[in-house]
Amino acid sequence: MVGSVPLVWVLTLAAGLFCIGLFGALSRRNIVGMLMGIELMLNSVNINLVAFWRYLQPTGTAGLIFAIFTIAVAAAEVAVGLAMVIAIYRARLTINADEIDTLKG
C-alpha cells in the first residue's frame, strides 16, 4: 500500500497507549483516574482491531464489528463506573481508592 502507515508503527502506538493506560490504572488513587486508564487500554485494543482489519482483511468487516462492540462495552463500563463513583462519593464523601477499603456503609 503506497502512502500508508506500516503496521509495526500502529502496533507500537497501541502498545504505548496500553502501557500508559495500565500505568494510569495501577498508579492512581483516584477512582476517576483509574477509569480513565482503563479507557485508554480499551482504546488501544480498538486501535489493534482496526489495524489488523485494515492490513489483513480490508474487504471483511469482522475487525470493525469487534471494534464497535468494544466501544459499546467501554461506554457501558463508563456508565456503570461513574454511577458507582457517584454512589461511593455520596456515602463516603471521597473517591480516593485507599480510603474505600471496607464494604461497610
Side-chain angles (χ1 to χ4, degrees):
M1 292 181 208
V2 178
S4 66
V5 179
L7 180 61
V8 175
W9 292 3
V10 178
L11 296 180
T12 304
L13 170 73
L17 191 63
F18 188 85
C19 290
I20 292 170
L22 183 65
F23 177 76
L26 295 178
S27 67
R28 298 287 177 191
R29 292 184 181 173
N30 189 337
I31 296 176
V32 176
M34 290 177 183
L35 287 174
M36 288 173 45
I38 292 170
E39 286 298 315
L40 279 175
M41 290 189 290
L42 287 172
N43 285 332
S44 72
V45 170
N46 283 336
I47 290 172
N48 279 333
L49 288 172
V50 172
F52 280 119
W53 162 76
R54 176 72 172 96
Y55 284 95
L56 297 180
Q57 286 185 341
T59 58
T61 59
L64 291 180
I65 291 171
F66 281 130
I68 291 171
F69 180 73
T70 308
I71 291 169
V73 168
E77 178 256 335
V78 166
V80 170
L82 287 178
M84 289 172 46
V85 167
I86 291 171
I88 290 171
Y89 182 76
R90 286 182 181 172
R92 304 277 180 129
L93 297 176
T94 184
I95 55 174
N96 190 350
D98 290 339
E99 297 174 13
I100 306 167
D101 57 355
T102 62
L103 295 176
K104 294 185 214 173

Coordinates of all heavy atoms in Angstrom, one line a residue:
M1 N 0.8 -1.2 0.0 CA 0.0 0.0 0.0 C 0.9 1.2 0.0 O 1.7 1.4 0.9 CB -0.9 0.0 1.2 CG -1.9 -1.0 1.2 SD -2.9 -0.9 2.7 CE -3.4 -2.6 2.9
V2 N 0.7 2.0 -1.0 CA 1.5 3.2 -1.1 C 1.0 4.3 -0.2 O -0.2 4.6 -0.3 CB 1.6 3.7 -2.6 CG1 2.4 5.0 -2.7 CG2 2.1 2.6 -3.5
G3 N 1.8 5.0 0.5 CA 1.4 6.1 1.4 C 0.7 5.7 2.7 O 0.2 6.6 3.3
S4 N 0.7 4.5 3.0 CA 0.1 4.1 4.3 C 1.1 3.9 5.4 O 2.3 3.7 5.1 CB -0.8 2.8 4.1 OG 0.1 1.7 3.8
V5 N 0.6 4.0 6.6 CA 1.5 3.8 7.8 C 1.8 2.3 7.9 O 0.8 1.5 7.9 CB 0.8 4.4 9.0 CG1 1.7 4.2 10.2 CG2 0.5 5.8 8.8
P6 N 3.0 1.9 8.2 CA 3.3 0.5 8.4 C 2.6 -0.1 9.6 O 2.4 0.7 10.6 CB 4.8 0.5 8.6 CG 5.3 1.7 8.0 CD 4.2 2.7 8.2
L7 N 2.3 -1.3 9.6 CA 1.6 -2.0 10.7 C 2.4 -1.9 12.0 O 1.8 -1.8 13.1 CB 1.3 -3.4 10.3 CG 0.5 -4.3 11.3 CD1 -0.9 -3.7 11.6 CD2 0.4 -5.7 10.9
V8 N 3.7 -2.1 11.9 CA 4.5 -2.0 13.1 C 4.4 -0.7 13.8 O 4.3 -0.7 15.1 CB 6.0 -2.3 12.7 CG1 6.9 -2.2 13.9 CG2 6.1 -3.7 12.1
W9 N 4.3 0.4 13.1 CA 4.1 1.7 13.8 C 2.8 1.8 14.5 O 2.7 2.3 15.6 CB 4.2 2.8 12.8 CG 5.5 3.0 12.1 CD1 6.7 2.3 12.4 CD2 5.9 4.0 11.2 NE1 7.7 2.7 11.6 CE2 7.3 3.8 10.9 CE3 5.2 5.1 10.6 CZ2 8.0 4.6 10.0 CZ3 5.9 5.9 9.7 CH2 7.3 5.7 9.4
V10 N 1.7 1.3 13.9 CA 0.4 1.3 14.5 C 0.4 0.4 15.8 O -0.2 0.8 16.8 CB -0.7 0.9 13.5 CG1 -2.1 0.9 14.2 CG2 -0.7 1.8 12.3
L11 N 1.0 -0.7 15.7 CA 1.1 -1.6 16.8 C 1.9 -1.0 18.0 O 1.6 -1.2 19.1 CB 1.6 -3.0 16.4 CG 0.7 -3.8 15.4 CD1 1.3 -5.1 15.1 CD2 -0.7 -3.9 16.0
T12 N 3.0 -0.3 17.6 CA 3.8 0.3 18.6 C 3.0 1.4 19.3 O 3.1 1.6 20.5 CB 5.1 0.9 17.9 OG1 5.8 -0.1 17.3 CG2 6.0 1.6 19.0
L13 N 2.2 2.2 18.5 CA 1.4 3.2 19.1 C 0.4 2.6 20.1 O 0.2 3.1 21.2 CB 0.6 4.0 18.0 CG -0.5 4.9 18.5 CD1 0.2 6.2 19.2 CD2 -1.4 5.4 17.4
A14 N -0.3 1.5 19.7 CA -1.3 0.9 20.5 C -0.6 0.3 21.8 O -1.2 0.4 22.9 CB -2.0 -0.2 19.7
A15 N 0.6 -0.3 21.6 CA 1.3 -0.8 22.8 C 1.6 0.3 23.8 O 1.5 0.1 25.0 CB 2.5 -1.6 22.4
G16 N 2.1 1.4 23.3 CA 2.4 2.5 24.1 C 1.2 3.1 24.8 O 1.3 3.4 26.0
L17 N 0.1 3.2 24.1 CA -1.1 3.7 24.7 C -1.6 2.7 25.8 O -2.1 3.1 26.8 CB -2.2 3.8 23.6 CG -3.5 4.6 24.0 CD1 -3.2 6.0 24.4 CD2 -4.4 4.5 22.8
F18 N -1.5 1.4 25.5 CA -1.9 0.4 26.5 C -1.0 0.5 27.8 O -1.5 0.4 28.9 CB -1.8 -1.0 25.9 CG -2.4 -2.1 26.8 CD1 -3.7 -2.4 26.8 CD2 -1.6 -2.8 27.7 CE1 -4.3 -3.3 27.6 CE2 -2.1 -3.7 28.5 CZ -3.4 -4.0 28.5
C19 N 0.3 0.7 27.6 CA 1.2 0.8 28.7 C 0.9 2.1 29.6 O 0.9 2.0 30.8 CB 2.6 0.8 28.3 SG 3.2 -0.8 27.7
I20 N 0.6 3.2 28.9 CA 0.2 4.4 29.6 C -1.1 4.2 30.4 O -1.2 4.6 31.5 CB 0.1 5.6 28.6 CG1 1.4 5.9 28.1 CG2 -0.6 6.8 29.3 CD1 1.4 6.9 26.9
G21 N -2.1 3.5 29.8 CA -3.3 3.2 30.4 C -3.2 2.3 31.6 O -3.8 2.5 32.7
L22 N -2.3 1.3 31.5 CA -2.0 0.3 32.6 C -1.4 1.0 33.7 O -1.7 0.8 34.9 CB -1.2 -0.8 32.1 CG -0.9 -1.9 33.0 CD1 -2.2 -2.6 33.4 CD2 0.1 -2.9 32.5
F23 N -0.4 1.9 33.4 CA 0.3 2.7 34.5 C -0.8 3.6 35.2 O -0.8 3.7 36.4 CB 1.4 3.5 33.9 CG 2.1 4.4 34.9 CD1 2.9 3.8 35.8 CD2 1.8 5.7 34.9 CE1 3.6 4.6 36.8 CE2 2.4 6.5 35.9 CZ 3.3 6.0 36.8
G24 N -1.6 4.2 34.4 CA -2.6 5.1 35.0 C -3.6 4.4 35.8 O -4.0 4.8 36.9
A25 N -4.0 3.2 35.4 CA -5.0 2.4 36.2 C -4.4 1.8 37.5 O -5.1 1.7 38.5 CB -5.5 1.2 35.3
L26 N -3.1 1.5 37.4 CA -2.5 0.9 38.6 C -1.9 1.9 39.6 O -1.7 1.6 40.8 CB -1.4 -0.1 38.2 CG -1.9 -1.3 37.4 CD1 -0.7 -2.2 37.0 CD2 -2.9 -2.1 38.2
S27 N -1.5 3.1 39.1 CA -0.8 4.1 40.0 C -1.7 5.1 40.5 O -1.3 5.8 41.5 CB 0.3 4.7 39.2 OG -0.3 5.6 38.2
R28 N -2.9 5.3 40.0 CA -3.8 6.3 40.5 C -4.5 5.9 41.8 O -4.9 4.7 42.0 CB -4.9 6.7 39.5 CG -4.3 7.2 38.2 CD -3.9 8.6 38.4 NE -3.3 9.1 37.2 CZ -2.6 10.2 37.1 NH1 -2.4 10.9 38.2 NH2 -2.0 10.6 36.0
R29 N -4.7 6.9 42.7 CA -5.5 6.6 43.9 C -7.0 7.1 43.7 O -7.9 6.6 44.3 CB -4.9 7.4 45.1 CG -3.6 6.8 45.5 CD -3.1 7.5 46.7 NE -1.8 7.0 47.1 CZ -1.1 7.5 48.1 NH1 -1.5 8.5 48.7 NH2 0.0 6.9 48.4
N30 N -7.1 8.0 42.7 CA -8.5 8.5 42.4 C -9.2 7.5 41.5 O -8.6 7.1 40.5 CB -8.3 9.8 41.7 CG -9.6 10.6 41.5 OD1 -10.6 10.0 41.5 ND2 -9.5 11.9 41.4
I31 N -10.4 7.2 41.8 CA -11.1 6.2 41.0 C -11.4 6.7 39.6 O -11.4 5.9 38.7 CB -12.5 5.8 41.8 CG1 -12.1 5.2 43.1 CG2 -13.3 4.9 40.9 CD1 -13.3 4.8 43.9
V32 N -11.6 8.0 39.4 CA -11.9 8.5 38.1 C -10.6 8.4 37.3 O -10.7 8.0 36.1 CB -12.3 10.0 38.2 CG1 -12.5 10.6 36.8 CG2 -13.6 10.1 38.9
G33 N -9.4 8.6 37.8 CA -8.2 8.3 37.1 C -8.0 6.9 36.7 O -7.5 6.6 35.6
M34 N -8.4 6.0 37.6 CA -8.4 4.6 37.3 C -9.3 4.2 36.1 O -8.9 3.5 35.2 CB -8.8 3.7 38.5 CG -7.8 3.7 39.6 SD -8.5 2.7 40.9 CE -7.3 2.9 42.2
L35 N -10.5 4.8 36.1 CA -11.4 4.6 34.9 C -10.8 5.2 33.6 O -11.0 4.6 32.6 CB -12.7 5.2 35.2 CG -13.6 4.5 36.3 CD1 -14.9 5.3 36.6 CD2 -14.0 3.1 35.8
M36 N -10.1 6.3 33.7 CA -9.5 6.9 32.5 C -8.4 5.9 32.0 O -8.2 5.8 30.8 CB -9.0 8.3 32.8 CG -10.1 9.3 33.0 SD -9.5 10.9 33.6 CE -8.1 11.2 32.6
G37 N -7.6 5.3 32.9 CA -6.6 4.4 32.5 C -7.2 3.2 31.8 O -6.7 2.7 30.8
I38 N -8.3 2.7 32.3 CA -9.0 1.5 31.7 C -9.5 1.9 30.3 O -9.4 1.1 29.4 CB -10.1 1.0 32.6 CG1 -9.5 0.4 33.9 CG2 -11.0 0.0 31.9 CD1 -10.5 0.1 35.0
E39 N -10.0 3.1 30.2 CA -10.5 3.6 28.9 C -9.3 3.7 27.9 O -9.5 3.3 26.7 CB -11.2 4.9 29.0 CG -12.5 4.9 29.6 CD -13.5 4.0 28.9 OE1 -13.6 4.2 27.6 OE2 -14.2 3.2 29.5
L40 N -8.2 4.1 28.3 CA -7.0 4.2 27.4 C -6.6 2.8 27.0 O -6.3 2.5 25.8 CB -5.8 4.8 28.1 CG -5.8 6.3 28.1 CD1 -4.6 6.8 29.0 CD2 -5.7 6.9 26.7
M41 N -6.7 1.8 27.8 CA -6.4 0.4 27.5 C -7.4 -0.1 26.4 O -7.0 -0.8 25.5 CB -6.3 -0.5 28.7 CG -5.1 -0.2 29.6 SD -4.9 -1.4 30.9 CE -6.3 -1.1 32.0
L42 N -8.7 0.2 26.7 CA -9.7 -0.2 25.7 C -9.5 0.4 24.3 O -9.7 -0.2 23.3 CB -11.1 0.0 26.3 CG -11.5 -0.9 27.4 CD1 -12.9 -0.4 28.0 CD2 -11.7 -2.3 26.9
N43 N -9.1 1.7 24.3 CA -8.9 2.4 23.1 C -7.7 1.8 22.3 O -7.7 1.7 21.1 CB -8.7 3.9 23.3 CG -10.0 4.6 23.6 OD1 -11.0 4.1 23.1 ND2 -10.0 5.6 24.3
S44 N -6.7 1.3 23.1 CA -5.5 0.7 22.4 C -5.9 -0.6 21.8 O -5.4 -1.0 20.7 CB -4.4 0.5 23.4 OG -4.7 -0.5 24.3
V45 N -6.8 -1.3 22.4 CA -7.4 -2.6 21.8 C -8.1 -2.2 20.5 O -8.0 -3.0 19.5 CB -8.3 -3.3 22.8 CG1 -9.0 -4.4 22.2 CG2 -7.4 -3.8 24.0
N46 N -8.9 -1.2 20.6 CA -9.6 -0.7 19.3 C -8.6 -0.4 18.2 O -8.9 -0.8 17.0 CB -10.5 0.5 19.6 CG -11.8 0.1 20.3 OD1 -12.2 -1.1 20.2 ND2 -12.3 1.0 21.0
I47 N -7.5 0.2 18.5 CA -6.5 0.6 17.5 C -6.0 -0.7 16.9 O -5.8 -0.9 15.7 CB -5.4 1.4 18.1 CG1 -6.0 2.8 18.4 CG2 -4.2 1.5 17.1 CD1 -5.0 3.7 19.1
N48 N -5.7 -1.7 17.8 CA -5.2 -3.0 17.3 C -6.2 -3.7 16.4 O -5.9 -4.2 15.3 CB -4.8 -3.9 18.4 CG -3.5 -3.6 19.0 OD1 -2.6 -3.1 18.3 ND2 -3.3 -3.9 20.3
L49 N -7.5 -3.7 16.8 CA -8.5 -4.4 16.0 C -8.6 -3.7 14.6 O -8.7 -4.4 13.6 CB -9.8 -4.3 16.7 CG -10.0 -5.2 17.9 CD1 -11.3 -4.9 18.7 CD2 -10.0 -6.7 17.6
V50 N -8.7 -2.4 14.6 CA -8.8 -1.7 13.3 C -7.5 -1.9 12.4 O -7.6 -2.1 11.2 CB -9.2 -0.3 13.5 CG1 -9.1 0.5 12.2 CG2 -10.5 -0.1 14.2
A51 N -6.4 -1.9 13.1 CA -5.1 -2.0 12.3 C -5.0 -3.4 11.7 O -4.7 -3.5 10.5 CB -3.9 -1.8 13.2
F52 N -5.3 -4.4 12.5 CA -5.3 -5.8 11.9 C -6.4 -6.0 10.8 O -6.1 -6.7 9.8 CB -5.4 -6.9 13.0 CG -4.1 -7.1 13.7 CD1 -4.0 -6.8 15.1 CD2 -3.0 -7.5 13.0 CE1 -2.8 -7.0 15.7 CE2 -1.8 -7.7 13.7 CZ -1.7 -7.5 15.0
W53 N -7.5 -5.4 11.0 CA -8.5 -5.5 10.0 C -8.1 -4.8 8.7 O -8.2 -5.4 7.6 CB -9.8 -4.8 10.4 CG -10.8 -4.5 9.3 CD1 -11.5 -5.4 8.6 CD2 -10.9 -3.2 8.7 NE1 -12.2 -4.7 7.6 CE2 -11.9 -3.4 7.6 CE3 -10.4 -2.0 8.9 CZ2 -12.3 -2.4 6.8 CZ3 -10.9 -0.9 8.1 CH2 -11.8 -1.1 7.1
R54 N -7.5 -3.6 8.8 CA -7.0 -2.9 7.7 C -5.9 -3.6 6.9 O -5.8 -3.6 5.7 CB -6.6 -1.5 8.1 CG -6.0 -0.6 7.0 CD -7.1 -0.1 6.1 NE -6.6 0.9 5.2 CZ -6.2 0.6 4.0 NH1 -6.2 -0.6 3.5 NH2 -5.7 1.6 3.2
Y55 N -5.0 -4.2 7.6 CA -3.8 -4.8 7.0 C -4.0 -6.2 6.6 O -3.3 -6.7 5.7 CB -2.6 -4.6 7.9 CG -2.0 -3.2 7.9 CD1 -2.4 -2.3 8.8 CD2 -1.2 -2.8 6.9 CE1 -1.9 -1.0 8.8 CE2 -0.7 -1.5 6.8 CZ -1.1 -0.6 7.8 OH -0.6 0.6 7.8
L56 N -4.9 -7.0 7.3 CA -5.0 -8.4 6.9 C -6.3 -8.7 6.1 O -6.2 -9.5 5.2 CB -5.1 -9.2 8.2 CG -3.8 -9.1 9.1 CD1 -4.0 -10.0 10.4 CD2 -2.6 -9.6 8.3
Q57 N -7.4 -8.1 6.4 CA -8.6 -8.3 5.6 C -9.4 -7.0 5.4 O -10.4 -6.8 6.0 CB -9.5 -9.3 6.4 CG -9.0 -10.7 6.3 CD -10.0 -11.7 7.0 OE1 -10.9 -11.2 7.7 NE2 -9.9 -12.9 6.6
P58 N -8.9 -6.2 4.5 CA -9.7 -4.9 4.4 C -11.0 -5.1 3.7 O -11.8 -4.1 3.8 CB -8.7 -4.1 3.5 CG -7.8 -5.1 2.8 CD -7.7 -6.2 3.7
T59 N -11.3 -6.2 3.1 CA -12.6 -6.4 2.5 C -13.6 -6.9 3.4 O -14.8 -6.8 3.2 CB -12.5 -7.4 1.3 OG1 -12.0 -8.6 1.7 CG2 -11.6 -6.8 0.2
G60 N -13.2 -7.6 4.5 CA -14.1 -8.1 5.5 C -14.5 -7.0 6.5 O -14.0 -5.9 6.5
T61 N -15.5 -7.4 7.4 CA -15.9 -6.4 8.4 C -15.8 -6.9 9.8 O -16.2 -6.2 10.7 CB -17.4 -6.1 8.1 OG1 -18.2 -7.3 8.2 CG2 -17.6 -5.4 6.8
A62 N -15.1 -8.0 10.0 CA -15.0 -8.6 11.3 C -14.3 -7.6 12.3 O -14.7 -7.5 13.4 CB -14.3 -9.9 11.3
G63 N -13.2 -7.0 11.9 CA -12.4 -6.1 12.7 C -13.2 -4.9 13.2 O -13.1 -4.5 14.3
L64 N -13.9 -4.4 12.2 CA -14.8 -3.2 12.6 C -15.9 -3.6 13.5 O -16.2 -2.8 14.4 CB -15.3 -2.6 11.3 CG -14.3 -1.9 10.4 CD1 -15.0 -1.4 9.1 CD2 -13.6 -0.8 11.1
I65 N -16.5 -4.7 13.3 CA -17.6 -5.1 14.2 C -17.1 -5.4 15.6 O -17.7 -4.9 16.6 CB -18.3 -6.4 13.6 CG1 -19.0 -6.1 12.4 CG2 -19.2 -7.0 14.7 CD1 -19.6 -7.2 11.6
F66 N -15.9 -6.0 15.7 CA -15.3 -6.2 17.0 C -14.9 -4.8 17.7 O -15.1 -4.6 18.9 CB -14.0 -7.0 17.0 CG -14.3 -8.5 16.9 CD1 -13.7 -9.3 15.9 CD2 -15.2 -9.1 17.8 CE1 -14.0 -10.6 15.8 CE2 -15.5 -10.5 17.7 CZ -14.9 -11.2 16.7
A67 N -14.5 -3.9 16.9 CA -14.1 -2.5 17.4 C -15.4 -1.8 17.9 O -15.4 -1.2 19.0 CB -13.4 -1.7 16.4
I68 N -16.5 -1.9 17.1 CA -17.7 -1.3 17.6 C -18.2 -1.9 18.8 O -18.7 -1.3 19.7 CB -18.7 -1.3 16.4 CG1 -18.3 -0.4 15.3 CG2 -20.1 -0.9 16.9 CD1 -19.1 -0.5 14.0
F69 N -18.1 -3.3 18.9 CA -18.5 -4.0 20.1 C -17.7 -3.5 21.3 O -18.2 -3.3 22.4 CB -18.4 -5.5 19.9 CG -18.8 -6.3 21.1 CD1 -20.1 -6.4 21.5 CD2 -17.9 -6.9 21.9 CE1 -20.5 -7.1 22.6 CE2 -18.2 -7.6 23.0 CZ -19.6 -7.8 23.3
T70 N -16.4 -3.3 21.1 CA -15.5 -2.9 22.2 C -15.9 -1.5 22.6 O -15.9 -1.1 23.8 CB -14.1 -3.0 21.8 OG1 -13.8 -4.3 21.3 CG2 -13.1 -2.6 22.9
I71 N -16.2 -0.6 21.7 CA -16.7 0.8 22.0 C -18.0 0.7 22.8 O -18.1 1.5 23.8 CB -16.8 1.6 20.7 CG1 -15.5 1.8 20.1 CG2 -17.5 2.9 21.0 CD1 -15.5 2.4 18.7
A72 N -18.9 -0.2 22.5 CA -20.1 -0.3 23.3 C -19.8 -0.8 24.7 O -20.4 -0.3 25.7 CB -21.1 -1.2 22.5
V73 N -18.9 -1.7 24.8 CA -18.6 -2.2 26.1 C -17.9 -1.1 27.0 O -18.2 -1.0 28.2 CB -17.7 -3.5 26.0 CG1 -17.0 -3.8 27.3 CG2 -18.4 -4.6 25.5
A74 N -17.1 -0.3 26.3 CA -16.4 0.8 27.0 C -17.4 1.8 27.5 O -17.3 2.4 28.6 CB -15.4 1.4 26.1
A75 N -18.4 2.1 26.7 CA -19.5 3.0 27.1 C -20.2 2.5 28.2 O -20.6 3.3 29.2 CB -20.4 3.3 25.9
A76 N -20.6 1.2 28.2 CA -21.3 0.6 29.4 C -20.4 0.7 30.6 O -20.9 0.9 31.7 CB -21.7 -0.8 29.0
E77 N -19.1 0.4 30.5 CA -18.2 0.4 31.6 C -18.1 1.8 32.2 O -18.1 1.9 33.4 CB -16.8 -0.1 31.1 CG -15.8 -0.1 32.2 CD -14.8 1.1 32.1 OE1 -14.7 1.6 31.0 OE2 -14.3 1.5 33.1
V78 N -18.1 2.8 31.4 CA -18.1 4.2 31.9 C -19.3 4.5 32.6 O -19.3 5.1 33.7 CB -17.8 5.2 30.7 CG1 -18.1 6.6 31.2 CG2 -16.4 5.1 30.2
A79 N -20.5 4.1 32.1 CA -21.8 4.5 32.7 C -21.9 3.8 34.1 O -22.2 4.4 35.1 CB -22.9 4.0 31.8
V80 N -21.5 2.5 34.2 CA -21.6 1.8 35.4 C -20.5 2.3 36.4 O -20.8 2.5 37.6 CB -21.4 0.3 35.2 CG1 -21.2 -0.5 36.5 CG2 -22.6 -0.3 34.4
G81 N -19.3 2.5 35.9 CA -18.2 3.0 36.7 C -18.5 4.4 37.4 O -18.3 4.6 38.5
L82 N -19.0 5.3 36.5 CA -19.4 6.6 37.1 C -20.5 6.6 38.0 O -20.6 7.3 39.0 CB -19.6 7.6 35.9 CG -18.4 8.0 35.2 CD1 -18.8 9.0 34.0 CD2 -17.4 8.7 36.1
A83 N -21.5 5.7 37.8 CA -22.6 5.5 38.7 C -22.1 5.0 40.1 O -22.5 5.5 41.1 CB -23.7 4.6 38.2
M84 N -21.1 4.1 40.0 CA -20.5 3.6 41.3 C -19.7 4.7 42.0 O -19.8 4.8 43.2 CB -19.7 2.4 41.0 CG -20.4 1.1 40.6 SD -19.4 -0.2 40.0 CE -18.1 -0.3 41.2
V85 N -19.0 5.5 41.2 CA -18.2 6.6 41.8 C -19.2 7.6 42.5 O -18.9 8.0 43.6 CB -17.4 7.3 40.8 CG1 -16.8 8.6 41.3 CG2 -16.3 6.3 40.3
I86 N -20.3 7.9 41.9 CA -21.2 8.8 42.5 C -21.8 8.2 43.8 O -22.0 8.9 44.8 CB -22.3 9.2 41.5 CG1 -21.7 10.1 40.4 CG2 -23.5 10.0 42.2 CD1 -22.6 10.4 39.2
A87 N -22.2 6.9 43.7 CA -22.7 6.3 44.9 C -21.7 6.2 46.0 O -22.1 6.5 47.2 CB -23.2 4.9 44.6
I88 N -20.5 5.9 45.7 CA -19.4 5.9 46.7 C -19.2 7.3 47.3 O -19.0 7.5 48.5 CB -18.1 5.3 46.2 CG1 -18.3 3.8 45.9 CG2 -17.0 5.5 47.1 CD1 -17.2 3.1 45.2
Y89 N -19.2 8.3 46.4 CA -18.9 9.6 46.9 C -20.1 10.1 47.9 O -19.8 10.8 48.9 CB -18.8 10.6 45.8 CG -18.5 12.0 46.2 CD1 -17.2 12.4 46.7 CD2 -19.5 13.0 46.3 CE1 -16.9 13.6 47.1 CE2 -19.2 14.3 46.7 CZ -17.9 14.6 47.2 OH -17.7 15.8 47.6
R90 N -21.3 9.8 47.5 CA -22.4 10.2 48.4 C -22.3 9.5 49.7 O -22.7 10.1 50.8 CB -23.7 9.8 47.7 CG -24.1 10.7 46.6 CD -25.4 10.4 46.0 NE -25.7 11.3 44.9 CZ -26.7 11.1 44.1 NH1 -27.6 10.1 44.2 NH2 -27.0 12.0 43.1
A91 N -21.9 8.2 49.8 CA -21.8 7.5 51.0 C -20.6 7.9 51.9 O -20.6 8.0 53.1 CB -21.8 6.0 50.8
R92 N -19.4 8.1 51.2 CA -18.1 8.3 51.9 C -17.6 9.7 51.8 O -16.6 10.0 52.5 CB -17.1 7.3 51.4 CG -17.5 5.9 51.4 CD -17.2 5.3 52.8 NE -17.5 3.9 52.8 CZ -16.7 3.0 53.2 NH1 -15.5 3.3 53.6 NH2 -17.2 1.8 53.3
L93 N -18.1 10.5 50.9 CA -17.5 11.8 50.6 C -16.1 11.8 50.2 O -15.3 12.8 50.5 CB -17.7 12.8 51.9 CG -19.2 13.0 52.3 CD1 -19.2 13.9 53.5 CD2 -20.0 13.6 51.2
T94 N -15.7 10.8 49.5 CA -14.3 10.7 48.9 C -14.4 9.7 47.8 O -15.2 8.8 47.7 CB -13.3 10.2 50.0 OG1 -12.0 10.3 49.4 CG2 -13.6 8.8 50.5
I95 N -13.4 9.9 46.8 CA -13.3 9.0 45.7 C -11.9 8.5 45.7 O -11.4 7.9 44.7 CB -13.7 9.6 44.4 CG1 -12.9 10.9 44.1 CG2 -15.2 9.8 44.3 CD1 -13.2 11.4 42.7
N96 N -11.2 8.6 46.8 CA -9.8 8.1 46.9 C -9.9 6.6 47.2 O -10.5 6.2 48.2 CB -9.1 8.8 48.1 CG -7.6 8.5 48.1 OD1 -7.2 7.6 47.4 ND2 -6.9 9.2 49.0
A97 N -9.3 5.8 46.4 CA -9.4 4.3 46.5 C -8.8 3.8 47.8 O -9.2 2.8 48.3 CB -8.7 3.7 45.3
D98 N -7.8 4.5 48.3 CA -7.1 4.0 49.5 C -8.1 4.1 50.7 O -8.0 3.4 51.7 CB -5.9 4.8 49.8 CG -4.8 4.4 48.8 OD1 -4.8 3.4 48.2 OD2 -3.9 5.3 48.7
E99 N -9.0 5.1 50.7 CA -9.9 5.3 51.8 C -11.2 4.4 51.7 O -12.0 4.4 52.6 CB -10.3 6.8 51.9 CG -9.1 7.7 52.2 CD -9.4 9.1 52.1 OE1 -10.6 9.5 52.1 OE2 -8.5 9.9 52.0
I100 N -11.4 3.8 50.6 CA -12.5 2.9 50.4 C -12.1 1.5 50.5 O -11.9 0.8 49.5 CB -13.2 3.2 49.0 CG1 -13.5 4.7 48.9 CG2 -14.5 2.4 48.9 CD1 -13.8 5.2 47.5
D101 N -11.9 1.0 51.7 CA -11.3 -0.3 51.9 C -12.3 -1.3 52.5 O -11.9 -2.5 52.6 CB -10.0 -0.2 52.7 CG -10.2 0.4 54.0 OD1 -11.3 0.9 54.3 OD2 -9.2 0.4 54.8
T102 N -13.4 -0.9 52.9 CA -14.4 -1.8 53.5 C -15.7 -1.7 52.8 O -16.0 -0.8 52.1 CB -14.6 -1.5 55.0 OG1 -15.2 -0.2 55.1 CG2 -13.3 -1.6 55.8
L103 N -16.5 -2.7 53.0 CA -17.8 -2.7 52.4 C -18.9 -2.2 53.3 O -20.1 -2.2 52.9 CB -18.2 -4.1 51.9 CG -17.3 -4.7 50.8 CD1 -17.7 -6.2 50.6 CD2 -17.4 -3.9 49.6
K104 N -18.5 -1.7 54.5 CA -19.5 -1.1 55.4 C -20.0 0.2 54.8 O -19.3 0.9 54.2 CB -18.9 -0.9 56.7 CG -18.5 -2.1 57.5 CD -18.0 -1.7 58.9 CE -16.9 -2.6 59.3 NZ -16.4 -2.2 60.6
G105 N -21.2 0.6 55.2 CA -21.8 1.8 54.7 C -21.5 2.9 55.6 O -21.1 3.8 55.9

